[in-house]
Amino acid sequence: LAGAQILEKSPSLKGASNLLTGDIDRYAIAPCQDKKLYVVVGLSEDILVKQIKLSNYERYSSHVREFQILASQEYPAPTAEYWADLGVYEAKSKSGEQAFELKEPAWARYLKFRFLSHYGKEHYCTV
């Protein structure tokens, strides 16, 4: 994502800046038991979000299962109501890239991803 940057993340999420690179050998990692895993991405300009891609190539970790996408025009958002819920999506239990069409395209400058559940029983989850 050209010009995008990580603005906020869960304290336990390490390597969050790797989420914005195209290098499949780099990833973000956190203990799976952390129930409040999230990351906020600031985009370089307002965009109409139609699709989100999630990638995971790590073989020896648990993978994201359910995740929620929220969008906002302001950051930091004054209240939780400033985040529009773009839906909860379920990834497949497989390595590689997966694309998710948004149920309703939405304009956003900031995206928040909440990682709600995972596949597997490994100690670490990667994205």
Side-chain angles (χ1 to χ4, degrees):
L1 290 170
Q5 55 185 303
I6 302 297
L7 299 176
E8 186 181 341
K9 65 177 188 63
S10 303
S12 67
L13 187 65
K14 306 300 180 207
S17 62
N18 295 329
L19 296 173
L20 303 177
T21 71
D23 186 345
I24 66 170
D25 293 323
R26 299 182 68 130
Y27 47 85
I29 187 168
C32 294
Q33 80 261 14
D34 186 343
K35 299 298 181 201
K36 294 185 178 181
L37 284 177
Y38 73 93
V39 64
V40 176
V41 178
L43 305 172
S44 59
E45 60 186 328
D46 291 354
I47 63 165
L48 182 61
V49 182
K50 298 177 182 178
Q51 181 186 74
I52 297 292
K53 291 185 179 179
L54 188 68
S55 299
N56 194 333
Y57 295 92
E58 177 59 34
R59 293 182 183 183
Y60 303 106
S61 67
S62 293
H63 293 201
V64 171
R65 182 175 184 160
E66 288 182 308
F67 63 99
Q68 180 184 30
I69 306 168
L70 300 121
S72 180
Q73 298 292 359
E74 294 186 46
Y75 183 84
T79 64
E81 290 79 33
Y82 280 76
W83 289 101
D85 187 350
L86 302 185
V88 174
Y89 299 85
E90 185 168 349
K92 294 179 180 148
S93 180
K94 66 174 195 162
S95 291
E97 184 178 274
Q98 298 179 54
F100 302 89
E101 300 294 328
L102 267 61
K103 296 165 183 140
E104 178 96 21
W107 286 95
R109 179 69 182 261
Y110 305 98
L111 295 173
K112 180 186 264 188
F113 297 89
R114 289 183 178 152
F115 304 108
L116 306 174
S117 64
H118 63 278
Y119 291 104
K121 296 180 181 173
E122 299 294 334
H123 177 72
Y124 287 108
C125 288
T126 58
V127 180

